[in-house]
Amino acid sequence: MKIGLLTSGGDCPGLNAVIRGAVLKGVISHDTEFVGFRNGWRGVVERDIIPITRHDVRGLAKTGGTILGSSRTNPFEGEGGGPENIQRMLDEEGIDAIIAIGGEGTLTAARRLHDEGGIKVLGVPKTIDNDLAATDYSFGFDTAVQIATEAIDRLRTTADSHGRCMVLEVMGRHVGWIALHSGMAGGAHAILIPEQPQSIEQICEWVESVRDRGRAPLVVVAEGFTLPGMTEAHSHKGLDAFNRPRLGGIADVLAPLIEERTGIESRSTVLGHIQRGGEPTAYDRVLATRLGMAAIEAAYAHAWGSMVTLRGTDIKTVSIAEATGSLNRVPQDRYDEAKILFG
């Protein structure tokens, strides 16, 4: 079997570990031939293909980013886009199947290609946001949480030195998992997530409570958080290739409001793409490797249209439709658990 690998959407730590796990499993267990599509679905549409050998993946598990490159290209657009053109390209190149490593946008496109054109495709869940349903955790999330937690630790010392309120914005799109985990780990005094809108009055009440105890308030906010009256998450960066708004900047909105209402000097920090960079944690290296290996077994089981997933500590296979049909949101009980620590 000849399999094409691609990494699409926003990059995250652990992508290279998936590639390594898949290639080693395929070569050792099945004598599989591998190629890579460069820059995600763009490489599929533009037929930008490179060979991948066992030598090419040597030592990749610890390396951040992706050796294949990534993009947010929509595979249904462009001269070579759409199921018919893609299937013709695969036939001409002798490629039997595609393993798409990506998040919500990538896997939704993979599902459409399979459902509408019969493309033999498998998915591997990748997102630092941990927003994909049907998997307990996705690789990249643990690393992002660790990076955000280190940022909280650093902000705390400068906040204490000046008696300031610090508002740290983390990624997550429309879910608050990074904010919840990093906020709890770093001892944040308030955690603001999309699933739980809070009024500016409540936020300021928490901030003032911290100030009254002689501490410097530290607020962690997910980029998709909204205040009452906001009809959508804050965005001033336009749309991506899938017509989704590029979120970011809510911390810059909140900090002046907090300072105006409490009189506490406040500063905002948007962590941004730092969360995507650097070496993956040990947990993400192991999870990514296991998912890559499992994807090869799914290919030889002809489980097309499926995604490998983590359930508890076991790797399972589910339909891509199940994974992309809804978001993995922070449940009420998890937020209530953290809320005890606010203020």
Side-chain angles (χ1 to χ4, degrees), residues 34-312:
F34 288 94
V35 296
F37 295 103
R38 298 186 63 202
N39 302 314
W41 290 117
R42 184 190 303 164
V44 175
V45 172
E46 298 180 355
R47 202 182 292 218
D48 190 355
I49 304 169
I50 59 172
I52 305 177
T53 66
R54 182 173 181 176
H55 175 79
D56 295 321
V57 301
R58 184 174 57 186
L60 269 189
K62 68 178 185 299
T63 306
T66 165
I67 60 169
L68 294 177
S70 189
S71 72
R72 296 189 185 277
T73 301
N74 188 333
F76 286 84
E77 298 178 353
E79 186 176 341
E84 292 184 3
N85 289 328
I86 290 174
Q87 186 61 64
R88 185 181 307 112
M89 178 275 296
L90 294 175
D91 292 341
E92 292 173 356
E93 296 290 340
I95 299 171
D96 298 293
I98 295 174
I99 293 179
I101 310 164
E104 179 190 5
T106 300
L107 296 179
T108 297
R111 182 185 70 180
R112 283 189 61 195
L113 288 172
H114 175 263
D115 293 347
E116 298 177 15
I119 304 293
K120 294 179 179 178
V121 63
L122 288 161
V124 178
K126 174 273 329 169
T127 167
I128 66 170
D129 304 329
N130 203 43
D131 62 353
L132 280 172
T135 187
D136 290 348
Y137 289 101
S138 53
F139 71 88
F141 171 68
D142 187 71
T143 304
V145 169
Q146 182 62 39
I147 292 168
T149 301
E150 291 174 1
I152 293 171
D153 292 343
R154 293 177 182 275
L155 285 174
R156 184 178 299 283
T157 60
T158 184
D160 287 340
S161 296
H162 292 271
R164 290 172 174 156
C165 172
M166 292 294 185
V167 183
L168 174 67
E169 179 182 316
V170 298
M171 287 180 168
R173 290 196 59 77
H174 299 293
V175 303
W177 287 108
I178 297 177
L180 183 76
H181 279 235
S182 64
M184 290 187 71
H189 299 111
I191 300 171
L192 310 177
I193 63 175
E195 297 89 337
Q196 297 285 335
Q198 302 290 345
S199 67
I200 189 63
E201 290 79 16
Q202 176 61 79
I203 296 167
C204 290
E205 182 179 322
W206 285 326
V207 166
E208 289 175 328
S209 174
V210 176
R211 186 265 315 273
D212 293 345
R213 291 188 291 107
R215 301 290 306 282
L218 198 151
V219 177
V220 175
V221 58
E223 62 185 359
F225 171 78
T226 57
L227 291 165
M230 294 177 63
T231 57
E232 57 187 19
H234 182 77
S235 172
H236 59 274
K237 304 176 183 178
L239 304 176
D240 65 18
F242 296 96
N243 292 318
R244 301 177 305 177
R246 294 187 176 97
L247 304 185
I250 185 63
D252 297 330
V253 173
L254 289 175
L257 291 175
I258 292 171
E259 181 167 341
E260 177 186 351
R261 290 168 177 263
T262 66
I264 303 171
E265 187 179 4
S266 302
R267 295 287 185 272
S268 60
T269 297
V270 179
L271 201 52
H273 288 80
I274 290 174
Q275 293 159 94
R276 296 192 184 278
E279 297 179 346
T281 60
Y283 180 88
D284 277 341
R285 297 182 199 188
V286 172
L287 176 57
T289 300
R290 293 181 69 200
L291 290 171
M293 295 171 70
I296 297 304
E297 289 305 299
Y300 279 90
H302 304 292
W304 313 121
S306 296
M307 180 190 85
V308 290
T309 180
L310 179 70
R311 292 286 176 82

